[in-house]
């Protein structure tokens, strides 16, 4: 099985230059990515960021404006899709309605002239993997959304592709079914060990499935790393706020110098947070930037806490966790707690922040400001 290398890849649609947003001139701009053999890569980003375009160029369904795509060691820029040894599972189920599930799964092998007995062997090998062995005699119209998704994926992998390309394959499923299929996909990929590129706008899906996530915005790769890297060590404000649910709190702050430490201060708020010492070389009195902290790193202090007294603005009980919102100027700072107290708006809590978990971002560019 092969890996995938994308080098300096660009895509410009004929009409995309007309857009006012210059950054969006290219649907894909100077993309570099490497998926090692057997790795599961997620392309993640908001609608229109260029995920599908990248996948379609990799599949050979879209012309490349500039750059190179290698599957294994083979430059595939000019190879026909059928010669790229890829399996495709796109969000539409694209099944042939007059054919049974068996014939749908077998279709591509039949078209390639594979021997009937071999086709039968492979259909019966793949079907249990995708838990569609009891569906083989059914017609597509009789299938549920989840069953169709499973058949769709079985069709993609029966050719034993070197590279499996999936574009939002779970998009038609609702919450529970989606989660169940996510687990099935994970199990399947572990079993077939196929290099996989998976397009999604759902960060949970990317975090739970992928070995590495490529986070894209406006056609530009923002960060490519393991789920832990993009979560714990985001390179900029976009990645920090895109990964994590609820998202990271990001607040504008002015640094105020005290005798032996600095404080984060916020407009129209009494909240003061001690700046961790590690930032002492990058901040100064009056320095403005953004500070980010995840809701689970904002804590409610006990009775003797030196935390800042703050008024509860919102309280949501989600069963296993509670979410509390606090107004900091115009921004609602969220915190997540397993404290079972039922707070109500107006209650006062002592707010503490895990200083070691804070991130600083440049006010204008959104780039991460790193401690030196
Ligand atoms: P979504 O999650 O909504 O599918 P995406 O991240 O997959 O979004 P793409 O479909 O790759 O995004 O689109 C990237 C950009 O290219 C968008 O601005 C889109 O409008 C534009 N685009 C996509 N296909 C075409 C096309 N055939 N002609 C012109 N512009 C296109």
């Amino acid at each position: 099985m092969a890996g995938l290398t994308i080098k300096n890849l660009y895509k410009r649609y004929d009409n995309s230059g007309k857009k006012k947003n210059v950054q969006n001139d290219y649907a894909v701009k100077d993309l570099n990515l490497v998926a090692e053999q057997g790795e599961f890569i997620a392309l993640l980003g908001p609608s229109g960021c260029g995920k599908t375009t990248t996948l379609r160029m990799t599949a050979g369904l879209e012309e490349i404006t500039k750059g190179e795509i290698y599957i294994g060691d083979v430059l595939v820029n000019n190879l026909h899709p059928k010669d790229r040894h890829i399996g495709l599972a796109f969000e539409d189920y694209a099944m042939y309605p007059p054919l049974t599930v068996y014939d749908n799964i077998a279709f591509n092998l039949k078209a390639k002239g594979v021997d009937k007995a071999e086709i039968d062997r492979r259909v019966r090998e793949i079907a249990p993997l995708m838990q569609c062995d009891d569906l083989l005699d059914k017609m597509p119209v009789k299938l549920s959304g989840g069953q169709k998704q499973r058949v769709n994926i079985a069709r993609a992998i029966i050719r034993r592709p070197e590279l499996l390309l999936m574009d939002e394959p779970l998009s038609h499923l609702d919450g529970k079914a989606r989660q169940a299929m996510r687990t099935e996909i994970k199990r399947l990929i572990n079993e077939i060990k196929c290099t996989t590129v998976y397009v999604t706008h759902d960060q949970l899906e990317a975090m739970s499935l992928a070995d590495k996530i490529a986070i894209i915005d406006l056609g530009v790769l923002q960060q490519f790393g393991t789920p832990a890297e993009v979560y714990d060590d985001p390179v900029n404000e976009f990645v920090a706020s895109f990964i994590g649910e609820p998202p990271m709190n990001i607040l504008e702050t002015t640094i105020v110098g005290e005798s032996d430490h600095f404080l984060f201060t916020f407009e129209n708020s009494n909240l003061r947070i001690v700046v961790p010492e590690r930032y002492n070389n990058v901040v100064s009195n009056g320095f403005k930037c953004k500070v980010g902290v995840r809701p689970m790193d904002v804590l409610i202090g006990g009775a003797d806490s030196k935390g800042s007294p703050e008024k509860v603005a919102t309280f949501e009980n989600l069963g296993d966790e509670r979410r509390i919102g606090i107004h900091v100027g115009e921004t609602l700072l969220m915190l997540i707690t397993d404290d079972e107290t039922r707070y109500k708006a107006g209650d006062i809590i002592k707010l503490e922040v895990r200083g070691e978990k804070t991130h600083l971002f440049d006010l204008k560019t959104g780039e991460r400001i790193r401690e030196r």
Side-chain angles (χ1 to χ4, degrees):
M1 250 174 268
L4 169 71
T5 306
I6 295 180
K7 282 191 185 166
N8 307 107
L9 187 69
Y10 287 79
K11 175 67 188 182
R12 184 180 188 135
Y13 289 105
D14 284 344
N15 58 352
S16 55
K18 289 178 194 156
K19 289 191 175 164
K20 282 189 193 141
N21 185 345
V22 184
Q23 250 197 311
N24 209 13
D25 211 0
Y26 287 91
V28 175
K29 194 173 176 184
D30 200 17
L31 179 66
N32 288 281
L33 275 186
V34 176
E36 300 296 343
Q37 185 171 315
E39 254 183 347
F40 190 119
I41 301 295
L43 304 185
L44 175 70
S47 181
C49 74
K51 308 177 293 290
T52 297
T53 301
T54 302
L55 203 76
R56 286 177 57 83
M57 285 192 280
T58 308
L61 301 172
E62 196 67 68
E63 211 173 294
I64 293 171
T65 304
K66 211 162 61 174
E68 293 170 345
I69 299 180
Y70 294 84
I71 297 177
D73 298 333
V74 181
L75 178 67
V76 298
N77 285 36
N78 298 317
L79 275 191
H80 193 274
K82 73 173 170 39
D83 299 324
R84 296 189 183 202
H85 306 290
I86 49 176
L88 294 173
F90 285 169
E91 69 181 298
D92 50 14
Y93 315 118
M95 268 192 263
Y96 303 106
L99 303 185
T100 61
V101 166
Y102 182 105
D103 288 330
N104 264 285
I105 296 176
F107 190 86
N108 285 317
L109 294 184
K110 273 189 189 156
K112 269 170 71 184
V114 176
D115 172 72
K116 213 172 162 190
E118 172 63 7
I119 292 179
D120 191 61
R121 197 185 65 70
R122 279 167 61 179
V123 172
R124 294 189 191 282
E125 178 186 65
I126 277 312
L129 283 182
M130 281 322 292
Q131 292 175 10
C132 41
D133 30 350
D134 55 347
L135 306 175
L136 292 175
D137 296 331
K138 290 200 171 172
M139 303 307 285
V141 71
K142 298 267 161 89
L143 303 182
S144 71
Q147 290 168 334
K148 283 182 191 161
Q149 300 277 14
R150 287 208 288 271
V151 175
N152 194 23
I153 296 169
R155 278 161 45 103
I157 57 176
I158 193 159
R159 282 188 288 180
R160 299 193 187 131
E162 292 190 353
L163 183 63
L164 180 59
L165 303 175
M166 299 203 262
D167 190 349
E168 305 263 10
L170 311 185
S171 58
H172 294 289
L173 301 183
D174 56 20
K176 252 192 182 162
R178 207 177 162 104
Q179 202 171 344
M181 269 299 284
R182 213 163 65 198
T183 312
E184 281 179 36
I185 288 184
K186 191 151 192 152
R187 182 182 50 79
L188 173 81
I189 300 295
N190 278 339
E191 225 157 296
I192 64 171
K193 296 186 174 43
C194 175
T195 310
T196 303
V197 182
Y198 187 100
V199 163
T200 180
H201 63 273
D202 180 340
Q203 54 104 12
L204 257 183
E205 215 162 271
M207 291 292 279
S208 66
L209 285 172
D211 297 314
K212 283 199 193 132
I213 305 177
I215 300 168
I216 302 172
D217 186 32
L218 295 171
V220 179
L221 180 68
Q222 305 292 310
Q223 186 166 3
F224 183 47
T226 63
E229 282 164 353
V230 298
Y231 185 86
D232 293 327
D233 196 13
V235 297
N236 59 25
E237 186 183 341
F238 178 84
V239 173
S241 53
F242 201 80
I243 298 283
E245 167 50 35
M248 183 185 283
N249 295 295
I250 297 181
L251 304 121
E252 286 195 28
T253 179
T254 303
I255 305 286
V256 169
E258 299 277 279
S259 54
D260 61 347
H261 63 277
F262 291 103
L263 294 172
F264 293 115
T265 69
F266 306 91
E267 203 168 292
N268 299 325
S269 165
N270 294 324
L271 179 63
R272 300 279 181 273
I273 302 169
V274 175
V275 176
E277 254 179 54
R278 63 196 167 101
Y279 291 128
N280 281 1
N281 288 335
V282 291
V283 301
S284 54
N285 189 34
F287 182 78
K288 288 180 189 297
C289 64
K290 289 186 183 176
V291 57
V293 63
R294 296 206 179 275
M296 45 290 289
D297 296 320
V298 185
L299 313 171
I300 302 173
D304 54 354
S305 161
K306 294 207 177 75
S308 176
E310 297 292 332
K311 219 184 250 181
V312 170
T314 61
F315 176 78
E316 291 171 296
N317 185 352
L318 303 183
D320 54 347
E321 66 176 40
R322 283 122 195 106
R323 296 181 179 190
I324 296 174
I326 310 267
H327 284 303
V328 178
E330 304 298 306
T331 312
L332 194 65
L333 176 84
M334 294 298 295
L335 73 88
I336 292 183
T337 177
D338 53 9
D339 172 355
E340 295 195 352
T341 311
R342 297 190 70 86
Y343 292 98
K344 55 185 189 314
D347 286 350
I348 303 291
I349 57 168
K350 295 274 193 68
L351 201 78
E352 293 179 6
V353 170
R354 284 197 181 113
E356 74 279 12
K357 296 284 190 178
T358 53
H359 300 294
L360 303 190
F361 302 101
D362 185 279
L363 211 50
K364 287 204 185 89
T365 63
E367 288 303 305
R368 177 96 169 269
I369 301 171
R370 293 187 184 269
E371 57 270 26
R372 285 198 294 264

